[in-house]
């Protein structure tokens, strides 16, 4: 059951432009490096000089194949490039080379976990297609003596446009999808994923409807370049559309922009339909033919995919599916986990520490796991000392703090901070006897059936042991001495 907003169901479909990580452009040999002086990376082909012809960049095709394999899609044996005609100053040919009727990647799906209330549920978004196309240049509306400027460096940059079915039902789901897609393209290395530089741009198509009704008219929010803006933009758009409909105003299909300063979406133009673009096959490019042997070769050369790795973590390390998915958010996190788990032999503890304390500290200091001051080997050593009962969980957090601050290694820190758990049972029993003798009232109340009275005893015992008593052991001894074997919460 999807979440309703004021009685309306939200419907979202995504179009994402992922810039492919090739050295050169999709149909020319000009460089695609970011940040060069305007118009220094546009060759004759990119500028559409007469007599030039496009030549397909095999590296771009190979990346499209990798993407198709990563999402279980069909890789077309024969796909077609088409001209999408429109006039814009930054589009020198007057058309964009794209794919229309027969795209290179067809179908496929992306699935991910989502928190819904207290539950974690798995969602799957079906992909419609992914096609290869070239990027346009950029208009610069700074003041060039009263005129706008055009930078054609970006013209001809290879893009993979990834289109979903309208399968998402909330802004949270849309953001989770976008994050998962981002993870996939960066994991397989076909895109650097840099959202600020525009390497991964999402357009969100949003509509609302009464549950079970026909699809509503959509508006497309263009170029969302951060996950935060994505959520804000969709939430605003949904409320806006519902307000319009409630006021009796029909939604017009349109392309809108999100303004991060006002938090609002604003119509940019009414949306063109496919027919407006006068698509037709590009006579300058032959059909793109991809033999099965090529697909097989690419498959053989690809690194383990995140979902395959997650399945392996479940099998090899007996981890819950949720943990396995969290730990395969990036290759670096997965490698850190595997190194820790292998080293200490306690996969679940390693997972808990990495998803808990380690991520919390990394997030707070805005560090990536590669920059973690605590190495996998150090974390493994720490976990080893918890599982051999040398230190309690509480003490372990203090040791972790010491590791984080570079104060020394695990055993040295345990000694220096005096954190070793009391393993001398004689000493512990003596402390317990003293505390029982000093607190007759609690003992009496406990024996009379008040389980809570035990807390009044455990506290002073831990204090007398300077926190070094093993809480499990304290519990066992205490109950034995109070003459009950019953375990207490
Ligand atoms: P276009 O090519 O004109 O942008 P498409 O039919 O290719 O249109 O759809 C683009 C995106 O919009 C897809 O991700 C699709 O899932 C989504 N979409 C289509 N109809 C709706 C709708 N009524 N509400 C929300 N999203 C939609
Ligand atoms: Mg489209």
């Amino acid at each position: 059951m999807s979440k309703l907003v004021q009685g309306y169901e939200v419907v979202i479909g995504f179009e994402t432009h992922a810039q492919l990580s090739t050295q050169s452009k999709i149909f020319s040999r000009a460089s695609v490096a970011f940040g060069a002086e305007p118009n220094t990376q546009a060759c004759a082909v990119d500028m559409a000089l007469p007599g030039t012809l496009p030549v397909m960049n095999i590296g771009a095709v190979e990346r499209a194949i990798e993407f198709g394999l990563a999402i279980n899609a069909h890789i077309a044996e024969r796909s077609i490039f088409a001209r999408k005609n429109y006039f814009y100053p930054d589009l020198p040919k007057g058309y964009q080379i794209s794919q229309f009727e027969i795209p290179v990647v067809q179908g496929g799906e992306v699935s991910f976990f989502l928190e819904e209330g207290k539950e974690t549920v798995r969602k799957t978004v079906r992909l419609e297609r992914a096609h290869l196309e070239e990027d346009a240049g950029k208009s610069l509306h700074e003041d060039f003596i009263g005129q706008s400027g055009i930078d054609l460096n970006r013209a001809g940059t290879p893009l993979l446009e990834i289109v979903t079915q309208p399968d998402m039902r909330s802004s949270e789901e849309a953001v989770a999808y976008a994050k998962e897609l981002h993870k996939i393209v960066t994991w397989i290395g076909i895109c650097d994923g840099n959202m600020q530089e525009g390497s991964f741009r999402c357009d969100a198509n949003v509509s609302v409807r009464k549950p079970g009704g026909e699809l509503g008219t959509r508006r497309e929010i263009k170029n969302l370049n951060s996950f935060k803006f994505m959520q804000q933009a969709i939430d605003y758009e949904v409320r806006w559309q519902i307000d319009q409909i409630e006021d009796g105003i029909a939604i017009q299909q349109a392309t809108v922009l999100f303004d991060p300063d006002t938090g609002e979406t604003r119509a940019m133009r009414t949306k063109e339909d496919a027919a407006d673009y006068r698509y037709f096959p590009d006579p300058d490019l032959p059909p793109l033919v991809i033999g099965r042997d090529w697909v097989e070769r690419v498959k053989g050369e690809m690194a383990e995919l995140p979902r395959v790795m997650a399945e392996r973590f479940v099998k090899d390390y007996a981890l819950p599916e949720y943990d396995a998915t969290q730990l395969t958010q990036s290759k670096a996190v997965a490698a850190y986990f595997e190194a820790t788990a292998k080293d200490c032999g306690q996969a679940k503890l390693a997972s808990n520490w990495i998803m808990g304390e380690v991520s919390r500290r990394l997030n707070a200091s805005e560090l990536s796991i590669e920059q973690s001051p605590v190495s996998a080997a150090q974390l493994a050593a720490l976990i080893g000392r918890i599982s051999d009962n040398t230190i309690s969980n509480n003490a372990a957090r203090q040791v972790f703090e010491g590791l984080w601050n570079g104060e020394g290694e695990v055993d040295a820190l345990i000694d220096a901070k005096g954190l070793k758990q009391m393993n001398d049972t004689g000493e512990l029993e003596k402390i317990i006897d003293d505390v029982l003798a000093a607190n007759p009232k609690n003992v009496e109340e406990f024996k009379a059936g008040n389980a809570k009275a035990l807390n009044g005893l455990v506290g002073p015992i831990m204090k007398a042991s300077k926190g070094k008593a093993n809480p499990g052991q304290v519990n066992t001894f205490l109950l034995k001495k109070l003459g009950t074997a019953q375990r207490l919460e």
Side-chain angles (χ1 to χ4, degrees):
M1 183 61 211
S2 61
K3 189 176 89 178
L4 297 184
V5 182
Q6 296 168 37
Y8 287 85
E9 183 179 43
V10 177
V11 175
I12 305 166
F14 259 57
E15 291 164 288
T16 302
H17 288 92
Q19 180 180 325
L20 298 174
S21 57
T22 53
Q23 302 273 307
S24 57
K25 295 196 175 167
I26 186 165
F27 302 120
S28 84
R29 301 172 71 163
S31 166
V32 296
F34 182 82
E37 281 291 302
N39 298 308
T40 55
Q41 291 180 167
C43 70
V45 175
D46 308 323
M47 290 187 287
L49 296 191
T52 56
L53 285 170
V55 177
M56 186 77 234
N57 179 340
I58 293 296
V61 178
E62 193 138 322
R63 282 166 180 79
I65 298 174
E66 286 177 315
F67 178 73
L69 289 169
I71 56 150
N72 269 332
H74 172 65
I75 316 285
E77 293 199 35
R78 188 171 172 283
S79 63
I80 306 286
F81 284 95
R83 292 185 179 179
K84 180 178 183 180
N85 298 282
Y86 64 94
F87 284 101
Y88 209 72
D90 60 21
L91 190 70
K93 292 194 290 293
Y95 61 84
Q96 176 194 26
I97 304 179
S98 182
Q99 295 193 300
F100 184 55
E101 276 169 344
I102 312 180
V104 59
V105 173
Q106 304 173 1
E109 59 183 40
V110 168
S111 65
F112 47 88
F113 281 105
L114 196 67
E115 308 281 337
E116 260 182 14
K118 287 208 174 81
E119 273 177 85
T120 306
V121 290
R122 186 184 264 291
K123 294 268 171 179
T124 298
V125 170
R126 292 165 302 158
L127 292 196
E128 188 178 302
R129 60 191 277 156
H131 61 255
L132 284 163
E133 64 182 26
E134 60 179 343
D135 208 343
K138 241 186 218 166
S139 300
L140 304 170
H141 303 294
E142 296 147 36
D143 195 5
F144 295 101
I145 327 169
Q147 300 171 19
S148 285
I150 308 250
D151 177 8
L152 291 177
N153 282 353
R154 207 179 60 182
T157 295
L159 300 177
L160 189 66
E161 179 174 340
I162 303 159
V163 185
T164 74
Q165 305 266 7
D167 278 357
M168 288 157 275
R169 293 290 175 270
S170 67
S171 58
E172 290 81 15
E173 224 172 291
V175 172
Y177 159 78
K179 286 185 173 167
E180 184 66 23
L181 184 68
H182 186 268
K183 175 176 99 181
I184 293 171
V185 298
T186 52
W187 184 291
I188 63 178
I190 64 164
C191 170
D192 69 19
N194 190 324
M195 295 176 82
Q196 255 110 55
E197 290 178 5
S199 305
F200 186 88
R201 325 193 277 269
C202 292
D203 304 340
N205 291 269
V206 180
S207 68
V208 298
R209 66 173 172 188
K210 287 287 181 188
E214 283 188 11
L215 281 182
T217 303
R218 71 193 146 107
R219 303 212 310 164
E220 178 176 0
I221 316 171
K222 277 282 184 202
N223 284 342
L224 294 165
N225 65 358
S226 90
F227 295 120
K228 194 173 126 215
F229 292 161
M230 199 175 284
Q231 173 116 29
Q232 288 176 357
I234 296 171
D235 286 340
Y236 176 85
E237 179 63 25
V238 166
R239 280 195 308 272
W240 185 88
Q241 289 189 15
I242 292 174
D243 285 350
Q244 295 284 301
I245 295 170
E246 291 286 310
D247 286 349
I249 306 167
I251 303 294
Q252 297 261 346
Q253 187 165 320
T255 302
V256 307
L257 277 184
F258 175 68
D259 180 350
D261 293 329
T262 60
E264 297 177 359
T265 53
R266 198 163 21 85
M268 192 164 74
R269 54 171 191 255
T270 56
K271 171 103 173 87
E272 298 84 354
D273 279 317
D276 297 326
Y277 290 119
R278 301 289 188 270
Y279 279 101
F280 65 89
D282 192 322
D284 288 344
L285 284 158
L288 175 60
V289 175
I290 300 176
R292 295 304 93 175
D293 48 339
W294 190 5
V295 175
E296 284 310 311
R297 205 197 73 227
V298 172
K299 194 187 258 176
E301 286 167 2
M302 274 173 80
E304 190 177 27
L305 292 167
R307 67 183 147 76
V308 177
M309 189 180 273
E311 280 161 27
R312 181 166 65 75
F313 282 7
V314 169
K315 225 169 73 224
D316 293 359
Y317 299 108
L319 287 185
E321 205 179 51
Y322 178 77
D323 292 43
T325 311
Q326 292 298 112
L327 294 168
T328 48
Q329 285 309 307
S330 80
K331 275 187 185 157
V333 171
Y336 188 96
F337 161 74
E338 282 216 273
T340 310
K342 282 196 178 126
D343 219 0
C344 71
Q346 303 275 344
K348 181 59 182 149
L349 275 180
S351 166
N352 292 349
W353 273 85
I354 295 167
M355 297 197 310
E357 202 71 7
V358 177
S359 327
R360 210 172 47 74
R361 290 303 303 254
L362 291 174
N363 286 344
S365 341
E366 294 188 6
L367 293 175
S368 72
I369 195 130
E370 291 101 320
Q371 300 165 309
S372 171
V374 180
S375 69
Q378 286 174 318
L379 181 62
L382 177 61
I383 291 171
R385 289 291 171 258
I386 303 169
S387 47
D388 71 7
N389 279 326
T390 306
I391 50 173
S392 67
N393 268 317
N394 238 338
R397 271 194 283 277
Q398 295 177 52
V399 177
F400 183 82
E401 191 65 29
L403 289 173
W404 185 274
N405 296 326
E407 290 163 16
E409 293 304 320
V410 172
D411 287 334
L413 284 166
I414 293 173
D415 282 343
K417 293 178 188 270
L419 293 170
K420 214 172 248 166
Q421 281 193 130
M422 189 178 285
N423 285 325
D424 178 347
T425 53
E427 198 182 337
L428 178 60
E429 284 197 70
K430 178 159 184 327
I431 291 177
I432 294 179
D433 288 339
D434 290 349
V435 169
L436 288 181
N439 296 279
K441 215 168 134 247
N442 283 70
V443 174
E444 212 173 287
E445 282 177 16
F446 176 76
K447 286 191 172 157
N450 178 6
K452 285 211 181 94
L454 201 69
N455 295 339
L457 298 167
V458 172
I461 294 169
M462 292 309 287
K463 198 163 160 219
S465 77
K466 299 197 181 69
K468 291 181 203 167
N470 175 330
Q473 217 170 40
V474 169
N475 211 38
T476 314
F477 276 118
L478 194 51
L479 293 177
K480 207 165 75 191
K481 285 185 191 288
L482 290 168
T484 168
Q486 165 203 1
R487 262 198 86 78
L488 294 167
E489 295 307 317

